[in-house]
Amino acid sequence: MIYGNVNAKETEHAYDPLIVRAIDYCRHTKAEDIHESKFMPEGEDFKVLYCERVTGPKSEKKAEVHSRMVEIQYCAEGRQSMGYYPDLGCFPVLEDHLSEERDVRFYQNTEDAGEIMLPLYPGQYCVFFPEDVHRPWCTAGTGPEPIKMIVIQIPLSKLSR
């Protein structure tokens, strides 16, 4: 898992070129242009999901993992807490959709996962790999609030090795 800010210089050199392009895409997208939608930008090897949501209690949000993609969660407006813990392969599964169409597995809430909550404010992002369980859309403050996020999904097979 990578936790960063689009204005940090390390994004120019430390990451796979496709991840750098995806973070650059986030850097240059204005929050006012984000309206619930999904698409593939022309000439890119990643899918973009524009998300307008309302945060809620951690207990009401699902922890998820993907097996064939890297997922970047970028905060464009608002704030949230993002749950994270490593997938050790031993947590109870709530729903399993690791198929060609969906590629997502949801885990049951469990106290022994060692989950940490990361604050996500405008400009900040998390990059999740297949071994990284994440729980988006959790309340960061005292109550629910609207948030605009860009979620970028990159097929693992497209990353250079």
Side-chain angles (χ1 to χ4, degrees), residues 64-104:
E64 63 185 63
V65 68
H66 309 283
S67 66
R68 295 184 316 277
M69 73 176 84
V70 172
E71 188 170 84
I72 299 171
Q73 298 248 352
Y74 168 74
C75 183
E77 186 176 277
R79 61 190 181 141
Q80 72 167 306
S81 288
M82 176 75 67
Y84 160 75
Y85 58 94
D87 189 355
L88 303 177
C90 61
F91 302 114
V93 174
L94 179 66
E95 299 173 36
D96 200 345
H97 302 286
L98 295 178
S99 64
E100 289 299 317
E101 293 116 25
R102 292 206 49 205
D103 189 35
V104 64

Side-chain angles (χ1 to χ4, degrees), residues 10-46:
E10 78 271 2
T11 59
E12 298 173 12
H13 305 290
Y15 309 149
D16 182 273
L18 189 51
I19 292 175
V20 172
R21 285 202 318 267
I23 291 170
D24 192 56
Y25 180 92
C26 294
R27 181 182 296 119
H28 292 99
T29 301
K30 296 179 179 156
E32 59 265 18
D33 295 334
I34 296 175
H35 305 286
E36 195 75 30
S37 59
K38 67 173 102 166
F39 57 93
M40 297 268 306
E42 190 172 327
E44 286 297 355
D45 291 322
F46 53 77

Side-chain angles (χ1 to χ4, degrees), residues 2 10 13 20 29 31 39 58-61 64 69 78 81 87 93 101 105 113 121 126 133 135 153 158 160:
I2 300 169
E10 78 271 2
H13 305 290
V20 172
T29 301
F39 57 93
K58 173 184 166 184
S59 61
E60 295 176 5
K61 303 303 177 184
E64 63 185 63
M69 73 176 84
S81 288
D87 189 355
V93 174
E101 293 116 25
R105 172 180 288 150
Y121 300 106
C126 292
V133 180
R135 183 189 311 266
Q153 297 176 332
K158 299 286 185 177
S160 57

